């Protein structure tokens, strides 16, 4: 098997076209909290498809092996937490509140009715980039897209809800841009899953490098938890990959009868040296 290292991810590359439209993560009837402020400086030169369920192209054009494979040829799968507005076929097959890998493997699942919750394990490798999407009035409306805080400002927007037109008391005409954190994680194979999607082994367990993009409630419940732990908590001493993240989705109520799925994470066991060495390849 060809060995591919992702050590050069982040080198200069051509950015993708901004999407024509994006959608909010929670249902439109749910009121949104103020967008969290950036914790980690964004990496702006890495192409990430900000609003696509398809695998995203990751990397640069640096040649990584003798077969001519470069990092730009390698596509990593995305994780997807199913909402009430998600694909109907996926909802019927896997259920609301399921965290999916490749639209095929259930990594974690929210408790519903008589079904217990399923907790998945992963390690946070690093932040790839941040992108910024305008919060629109209606679900599915076209929205502006930016790759940096400078672009947000040039588009006449702000990432601070309090200073945007969404806050009726602000007197502002600025659009509110929500922050989207594009994260690289290593997800552990759950017991019922096959081995095909999990090509790497460490300490007797199988793993898959994946992209997890979070915004709105998911940003606050996932990325800010990790960022805080890196600066002041469990990850401060030994780094991002030193502890497992135990991920259990939860169903929360919004306005009216609306419900939405959000991540619920906590830090678990200390990771093995073998797993940390594997994560360092990416």
């Amino acid at each position: 098997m060809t060995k591919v290292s992702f050590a050069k991810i982040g080198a200069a590359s051509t950015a993708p076209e901004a999407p024509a439209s994006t959608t909010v993560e929670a249902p439109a009837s749910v009121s949104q909290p103020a967008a969290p402020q950036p914790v980690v400086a964004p990496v702006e030169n890495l192409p990430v498809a900000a609003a696509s369920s398809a695998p995203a192209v990751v990397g640069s054009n640096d040649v990584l092996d003798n077969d001519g494979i470069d990092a730009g040829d390698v596509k990593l799968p995305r994780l997807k937490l199913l909402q009430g507005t998600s694909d109907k076929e996926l909802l019927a097959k896997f259920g609301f509140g399921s965290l999916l890998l490749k639209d095929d493997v259930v990594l974690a699942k929210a408790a519903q009715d008589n079904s217990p919750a399923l907790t998945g394990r992963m390690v946070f490798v690093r932040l790839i980039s941040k992108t910024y999407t305008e919060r629109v009035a209606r679900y599915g409306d076209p929205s502006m897209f930016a790759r940096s805080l400078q672009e947000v400002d040039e588009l006449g927007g702000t990432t601070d809800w309090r200073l945007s037109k969404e806050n009726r008391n602000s007197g502002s005409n600025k659009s509110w841009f929500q922050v989207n954190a594009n994260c690289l994680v290593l997800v552990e194979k759950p017991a019922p899953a096959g081995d095909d999607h999990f090509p790497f082994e460490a300490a007797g367990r199988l793993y898959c490098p994946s992209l997890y993009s979070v915004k709105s409630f998911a940003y606050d419940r996932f990325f800010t938890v990790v960022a805080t732990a890196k600066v002041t908590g469990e990850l401060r001493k030994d780094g991002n990959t030193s502890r497992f993240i135990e991920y259990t989705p939860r169903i929360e109520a919004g306005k009216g009868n609306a419900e939405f799925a959000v991540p619920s994470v906590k830090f678990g066991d200390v990771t093995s040296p073998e797993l940390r060495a594997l994560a360092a390849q990416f």
Side-chain angles (χ1 to χ4, degrees), residues 2 7-8 16 42 51 74 81 100 112 130 146 160 174 177-178 196 214 220 222 240 242 247-248 250 252 282:
T2 300
K8 295 184 180 180
V74 180
L81 181 59
L100 301 183
Q112 291 202 64
K130 287 184 180 179
D160 190 339
K174 293 186 175 182
F177 281 70
Q178 292 178 305
D196 292 347
V214 290
D220 191 46
F222 182 83
N240 289 342
S242 62
Y247 184 114
T248 309
R250 293 176 53 187
E252 294 191 357
F282 300 94

Side-chain angles (χ1 to χ4, degrees), residues 104-120:
D104 185 38
V105 177
V106 178
L107 300 172
K109 193 170 186 177
Q112 291 202 64
D113 300 327
N114 296 323
S115 300
L118 173 65
T119 298

Side-chain angles (χ1 to χ4, degrees), residues 86-232:
S86 297
D87 182 90
K88 292 182 179 179
E89 292 186 5
L90 292 178
L91 285 172
K93 184 175 182 180
F94 299 108
F96 177 36
S98 295
L99 180 69
L100 301 183
L101 170 69
K102 294 186 177 181
D103 290 350
D104 185 38
V105 177
V106 178
L107 300 172
K109 193 170 186 177
Q112 291 202 64
D113 300 327
N114 296 323
S115 300
L118 173 65
T119 298
R121 291 210 310 179
M122 64 182 70
V123 292
F124 181 92
V125 179
R126 62 189 180 86
L127 174 70
I128 295 176
S129 68
K130 287 184 180 179
T131 51
Y132 306 83
T133 307
E134 180 192 16
R135 175 74 163 87
V136 294
R138 294 177 300 178
Y139 181 82
D141 282 353
S143 58
M144 292 186 288
F145 174 82
R147 298 175 182 83
S148 68
L149 291 172
Q150 180 179 344
E151 286 188 18
V152 171
D153 186 63
E154 291 171 352
L155 291 171
T158 178
T159 59
D160 190 339
W161 177 86
R162 296 167 300 177
L163 303 178
S164 75
K165 61 184 178 183
E166 296 290 322
N167 178 10
R168 296 180 180 178
N169 296 323
S170 69
S172 173
N173 291 321
K174 293 186 175 182
S175 296
W176 175 34
F177 281 70
Q178 292 178 305
V179 188
N180 188 90
N182 303 297
C183 309
L184 179 62
V185 298
L186 276 174
V187 295
E188 186 174 278
K189 183 182 88 70
D195 296 351
D196 292 347
H197 296 326
F198 300 87
F200 296 95
E201 182 175 356
R205 302 274 183 154
L206 297 179
Y207 296 89
C208 178
S210 309
L211 295 176
Y212 186 36
S213 295
V214 290
K215 64 182 177 182
S216 186
F217 296 102
Y219 183 103
D220 191 46
R221 306 295 178 85
F222 182 83
F223 183 69
T224 61
V225 172
V226 173
T228 301
K230 182 178 180 181
V231 175
T232 66

Side-chain angles (χ1 to χ4, degrees), residues 234-248:
E234 295 89 340
L235 304 179
R236 182 172 181 267
K237 181 179 178 181
D238 296 317
N240 289 342
T241 62
S242 62
R243 298 281 290 272
F244 281 104
I245 293 174
E246 298 179 357
Y247 184 114
T248 309

